[in-house]
Amino acid sequence: MDKLFLIIKREYLSRVTRPSFIIATLVTPLVFVLFFVIVGFIFSYESDDTKKIAVLDESGILKGALKDEKGFFFKFEQQPLDTLRKNFKASGYDAVLVLPKIDNLFSKDYMVYYYSKGQPTLDVEVHIKDRVRDALRDYKIDALKLERKQLEALNTSVDVEPEPIEKGGQDATRLTGAIGAGIGFIMGFIMYMAVFIYGTMVMRSVMEEKTNRIVEVMVSSVKPFQLMMGKIIGVGAVGLTQVLIWAIMIPVLMTIAQVAMGFDAEQQMQMSQGASNLNPEDTQAMVMAAMAEIGNVNWGLILPLFIIYFLGGYFLYSSLFAAVGSAIGDDMGEAQTLTIPIVIPVILAIYIMIKAVETPTSSLAVFSSIFPLFSPIVMPSILASKPPAWQIITSVVVLIGTSVFFVWLSGRIYRVGILLYGKKGTFREFAKWIFYKE
């Protein structure tokens, strides 16, 4: 155990003190925050281009009124279209908008004409279509003598409120499914990233030590299996350190960026409310209900299980990456070929997770939550949906058993591959190395 601890300590300290690790750990949150600041700036940007548009309302649906807004300035003209087109340069207009007469009030199609030097941009087209569509709707309501209240009554919002079938059973809200899906997706994605990033890091670490032949010195003092386990645990500790630092830095930097850039959270909420036409009181009540639903999630069960699946998935896949790293030198092309069978289950698991979050009780979700190559990613994504106890227990037992088996299997490959030079590792060679005797 002392030798294993020394290997873990060496692996951990040698990595966390590297300038590349320190720079990547500190710069990544800055890049992350900068990315969101730029995205926020882009989405809040409004074009400074202005359009002065002459309007010929032959149909009379605009009734001489069209508001100037967001760089659009409209003026109703009584001159014929030919005159406007002839004097277009001297008039100062950028375009002429013509609304022809409406012959059939029951027609669902209506074409307006936009005369300009070039094609209208997408924002111009959307702005005009929205304003004309609203005005046309009001025009048809008046022309057909329809009651506005009766028309508004046709727009009914439908929600599904879940209720327990048994009296006194646990009651859920309409947000329960959405909250569970959101938590599940986040947890599954974290697992996906951890397996990929830190599994690959283990493989690269093994390749480096094999290439510079440090491993030949180390195996004279410790067993190859101890060396492999020390590397896997050490790199895992490095990964947890990095994630912990990011979990602290990113919220702090995001808060600083909001203050420095003048982002007003309340204003953003009001803008989103305006876009979705939600009542502010309804929005506040929905936020409070979502927070209450998050508080009702059984975190006492989910968090320990998440750690178990994290460790199980990490040991399972990292041991396979370590085995592949021991069989090759510095040939990354060969490494990519050998890691394909490892990568494919991880990619499949992330796609299954997306469907499992939507339908956590489906046969695909249940099978994948137990199958050990998928369960580290799929099961955390459906824990918030409260799967049955037998499913969780079976999944944990199968995952632990499979992880122990794969660590043993990878150790058999590692002990031969790490000391073998000049011979490329293949899947057939892997099978032979497993049965080599000490």
Side-chain angles (χ1 to χ4, degrees):
M1 288 299 292
D2 290 342
K3 292 181 179 178
L4 178 61
F5 177 74
L6 287 175
I7 296 170
I8 296 171
K9 182 180 177 181
R10 172 191 171 277
E11 190 70 28
Y12 181 81
L13 292 178
S14 66
R15 290 189 169 276
V16 297
T17 54
R18 285 182 184 175
S20 59
F21 174 83
I22 297 172
I23 292 173
T25 304
L26 297 179
V27 169
T28 299
L30 292 172
V31 173
F32 185 79
V33 172
L34 183 62
F35 172 77
F36 277 94
V37 168
I38 293 174
V39 170
F41 174 76
I42 292 172
F43 277 93
S44 61
Y45 175 78
E46 293 185 359
S47 174
D48 54 357
D49 189 19
T50 58
K51 296 289 183 184
K52 187 178 179 182
I53 302 173
V55 181
L56 284 180
D57 188 9
E58 298 173 356
S59 63
I61 64 173
L62 295 176
K63 301 174 182 177
L66 189 61
K67 291 182 179 178
D68 296 336
E69 54 181 336
K70 295 182 180 178
F72 291 91
F73 300 95
F74 299 97
K75 185 178 180 181
F76 286 82
E77 287 285 356
Q78 301 299 325
Q79 303 178 56
L81 176 61
D82 292 340
T83 304
L84 286 172
R85 297 180 71 177
K86 185 177 179 181
N87 301 324
F88 187 74
K89 285 186 177 179
S91 64
Y93 291 122
D94 296 298
V96 178
L97 179 66
V98 179
L99 285 72
K101 291 182 179 179
I102 299 176
D103 298 325
N104 183 7
L105 289 174
F106 295 94
S107 175
K108 293 183 179 179
D109 300 319
Y110 182 66
M111 184 75 72
V112 300
Y113 299 94
Y114 185 86
Y115 295 87
S116 66
K117 289 184 178 179
Q119 294 289 328
T121 57
L122 184 61
D123 64 330
V124 171
E125 194 171 331
V126 171
H127 187 85
I128 291 174
K129 286 170 67 176
D130 289 347
R131 299 300 176 275
V132 174
R133 183 189 62 239
D134 294 341
L136 185 59
R137 184 176 185 276
D138 292 338
Y139 175 81
K140 285 187 174 182
I141 290 173
D142 294 337
L144 296 172
K145 298 179 180 179
L146 302 175
E147 287 289 337
R148 293 181 182 273
K149 287 187 177 180
Q150 292 177 345
L151 292 174
E152 291 174 358
L154 297 176
N155 300 324
T156 307
S157 176
V158 178
D159 290 321
V160 177
E161 185 70 24
E163 295 290 342
I165 194 68
E166 299 175 350
K167 291 185 177 178
Q170 187 176 3
D171 196 6
T173 70
R174 58 183 177 175
L175 296 175
T176 302
I179 295 297
I183 293 173
F185 185 82
I186 293 171
M187 296 178 76
F189 193 73
I190 291 173
M191 289 296 306
Y192 170 77
M193 296 297 294
V195 168
F196 248 132
I197 293 174
Y198 299 114
T200 306
M201 191 181 292
V202 170
M203 185 182 72
R204 288 180 178 276
S205 175
V206 174
M207 292 169 62
E208 288 174 7
E209 291 189 349
K210 182 175 180 179
T211 302
N212 57 31
R213 296 184 179 260
I214 291 177
V215 69
E216 295 179 17
V217 179
M218 298 181 70
V219 294
S220 62
S221 303
V222 297
K223 294 181 179 178
F225 183 77
Q226 288 179 313
L227 182 60
M228 186 189 76
M229 288 302 298
K231 193 170 291 294
I232 291 174
I233 298 173
V235 171
V238 172
L240 289 175
T241 303
Q242 199 170 45
V243 170
L244 182 62
I245 294 173
W246 288 348
I248 297 171
M249 285 189 66
I250 289 177
V252 172
L253 292 176
M254 288 290 284
T255 304
I256 294 174
Q258 284 184 348
V259 175
M261 300 299 293
F263 289 162
D264 189 345
E266 185 176 353
Q267 185 180 2
Q268 293 292 329
M269 182 176 291
Q270 289 176 355
M271 289 175 63
S272 62
Q273 288 168 358
S276 58
N277 294 322
L278 288 177
N279 187 304
E281 294 182 357
D282 293 342
T283 305
Q284 186 176 5
M286 188 177 297
V287 172
M288 295 300 292
M291 295 300 293
E293 195 61 42
I294 292 174
N296 291 333
V297 173
N298 189 358
W299 294 108
L301 175 66
I302 290 178
L303 291 180
L305 284 174
F306 178 76
I307 294 173
I308 291 173
Y309 281 99
F310 180 87
L311 294 176
Y314 175 73
F315 275 102
L316 192 156
Y317 281 103
S318 295
S319 63
L320 293 176
F321 277 113
V324 170
S326 70
I328 54 180
D330 56 354
D331 188 350
M332 285 305 298
E334 188 181 358
Q336 290 174 355
T337 303
L338 294 176
T339 53
I340 287 176
I342 306 174
V343 171
I344 287 177
V346 179
I347 295 175
L348 287 176
I350 196 70
Y351 281 104
I352 294 172
M353 180 204 74
I354 295 171
K355 294 301 295 182
V357 166
E358 297 176 357
T359 56
T361 58
S362 64
S363 299
L364 177 64
V366 173
F367 167 77
S368 302
S369 67
I370 297 175
F371 186 62
L373 294 180
F374 298 157
S375 63
I377 295 174
V378 176
M379 180 54 101
S381 71
I382 62 173
L383 284 175
S385 302
K386 301 176 183 176
W390 71 264
Q391 185 179 341
I392 297 175
I393 294 171
T394 306
S395 175
V396 170
V397 171
V398 172
L399 176 62
I400 292 175
T402 308
S403 298
V404 171
F405 173 73
F406 272 92
V407 169
W408 172 82
L409 198 69
S410 300
R412 302 285 295 180
I413 298 173
Y414 184 90
R415 69 192 170 112
V416 179
I418 198 68
L419 296 174
L420 200 64
Y421 293 89
K423 188 174 184 180
K424 289 186 177 181
T426 63
F427 294 116
R428 179 177 295 180
E429 293 294 330
F430 286 176
K432 292 180 181 177
W433 295 351
I434 292 172
F435 297 103
Y436 272 2
K437 294 183 178 179
E438 298 285 351

